[in-house]
Amino acid sequence: MILVVGHKNPDSDSICSALVATELLTARGVEAKPIRQGEINRETQHILEVADAQVPELRTSVAGEKIWLVDYSDLAQAPDDVADAEILGIVDHHRLGDVMTVNPMEAWIWPVGCTNTVLFNMFKIEGHEIKPQIAKLMMSAILSDTVGFASPTCTQKDKDAVAELAEIAGVTDLDTFIKDLLIAKTDIEGLSAAELVEKDLKGYPFNGRDVVVGQVELATLEQVDDMIEALEADLERRCAEQGLAFAAVMLTDITTAQTRLLYKGEWADKLVKHEKDGVLMMENTLSRKKQGWPWLQAELA
Ligand SMILES: [Mn+2]
């Protein structure tokens, strides 16, 4: 039995990848089960409803298990006891992380917009049938990760995959499908500052210290106008409680690709020079992976 596990603070790709990779392993005749390391967000909830799919079981310990990692290869994003598990496979679209394996394993890591684009191609290469429900999960994850093809992480392979998957899924009105997905993605109503920071928070070891960078995708920055102070206070609290050198959250307007960065911590001084009237705007920044984090790495180095 292989447990398929996405990263901590699961996003839609992470959850859909666990479900889809489980389907792929099953098609290979291997017993597998999807698990998740945290609560699902509203967009993922929307996707699972549209696809009529089950939420993977919540499970944060994998000691003694055989596992596949989907949508990451960093220890920081893996279950805490991953060292006591046997990693048999990785499907991902991020830079290669720091996990180590004892035995040879299967790794599918492509520079595309979404893990589900890699999984889609695995289905094709291996000649497995893609059911409409699985197609819906895959195309939703791709549209989520690429923000409806707008992200600089989006490649032709992602677009080709969605075109084929939409046909299998019977989705004829792709524009409405994307619109509904993005509405769910940017729905933050009623969330507290801590929940917003936590929503899509990623930890990065950097220069011997720990850094966290979250991202909140919005339809307009006005959605968080009243919460700036509370968000900054939450970042400060995280630095104090967890000894972080830097904690930030990217507030991204996905309609204009404008990101406001809130940040705290010992290393915060390094960024002050980029502020205008006390506000740090990152122009044309939609992707944390391709734009936000690389820029931060250069500035914090
Ligand atoms: Mn992803």
Side-chain angles (χ1 to χ4, degrees), residues 84-139:
D84 301 320
E86 188 183 0
I87 303 170
L88 293 182
I90 297 175
V91 188
D92 191 19
H93 67 125
H94 296 86
R95 64 169 191 163
L96 181 61
D98 54 1
V99 296
M100 294 280 282
T101 62
V102 178
N103 295 307
M105 56 128 204
E106 181 175 347
W108 297 76
I109 304 174
W110 291 8
V112 291
C114 180
T115 297
N116 272 274
T117 301
V118 185
L119 286 164
F120 167 74
N121 281 279
M122 291 171 74
F123 268 85
K124 299 257 290 185
I125 288 166
E126 299 180 21
H128 304 303
E129 185 208 343
I130 298 174
K131 295 177 194 142
Q133 181 193 48
I134 296 298
K136 252 180 215 165
L137 291 174
M138 283 195 214
M139 67 183 283

Side-chain angles (χ1 to χ4, degrees), residues 65-254:
E65 303 286 351
K66 295 183 193 319
I67 61 172
W68 267 37
L69 308 183
V70 285
D71 204 30
Y72 66 108
S73 64
D74 294 303
L75 284 175
Q77 294 177 42
D80 291 338
D81 57 7
V82 70
D84 301 320
E86 188 183 0
I87 303 170
L88 293 182
I90 297 175
V91 188
D92 191 19
H93 67 125
H94 296 86
R95 64 169 191 163
L96 181 61
D98 54 1
V99 296
M100 294 280 282
T101 62
V102 178
N103 295 307
M105 56 128 204
E106 181 175 347
W108 297 76
I109 304 174
W110 291 8
V112 291
C114 180
T115 297
N116 272 274
T117 301
V118 185
L119 286 164
F120 167 74
N121 281 279
M122 291 171 74
F123 268 85
K124 299 257 290 185
I125 288 166
E126 299 180 21
H128 304 303
E129 185 208 343
I130 298 174
K131 295 177 194 142
Q133 181 193 48
I134 296 298
K136 252 180 215 165
L137 291 174
M138 283 195 214
M139 67 183 283
S140 299
I142 297 168
L143 291 166
S144 166
D145 260 15
T146 64
V147 196
F149 303 131
S151 171
T153 58
C154 186
T155 69
Q156 190 59 44
K157 283 193 174 71
D158 301 300
K159 294 177 186 167
D160 293 346
V162 170
E164 230 173 286
L165 289 166
E167 207 157 300
I168 298 169
V171 174
T172 46
D173 186 349
L174 190 59
D175 288 341
T176 303
F177 189 90
I178 294 173
K179 202 181 118 222
D180 291 345
L181 184 81
L182 297 186
I183 287 171
K185 185 191 260 308
T186 56
D187 175 14
I188 59 159
E189 214 186 298
L191 294 182
S192 68
E195 285 169 327
L196 277 183
V197 171
E198 191 74 28
K199 191 169 182 263
D200 182 15
L201 191 67
K202 279 199 172 152
Y204 303 91
F206 188 69
N207 281 351
R209 297 291 302 276
D210 284 319
V211 166
V212 295
V213 182
Q215 185 174 29
V216 182
E217 291 162 307
L218 302 164
T220 162
L221 292 181
E222 285 168 19
Q223 282 175 275
V224 288
D225 268 355
D226 301 340
M227 300 186 74
I228 301 298
E229 273 175 40
L231 288 165
E232 287 180 333
D234 186 77
L235 294 173
E236 213 148 35
R237 176 186 64 82
R238 279 170 206 274
C239 289
E241 284 178 8
Q242 298 162 36
L244 305 169
F246 185 80
V249 62
M250 296 169 60
L251 305 172
T252 301
D253 179 335
I254 63 169

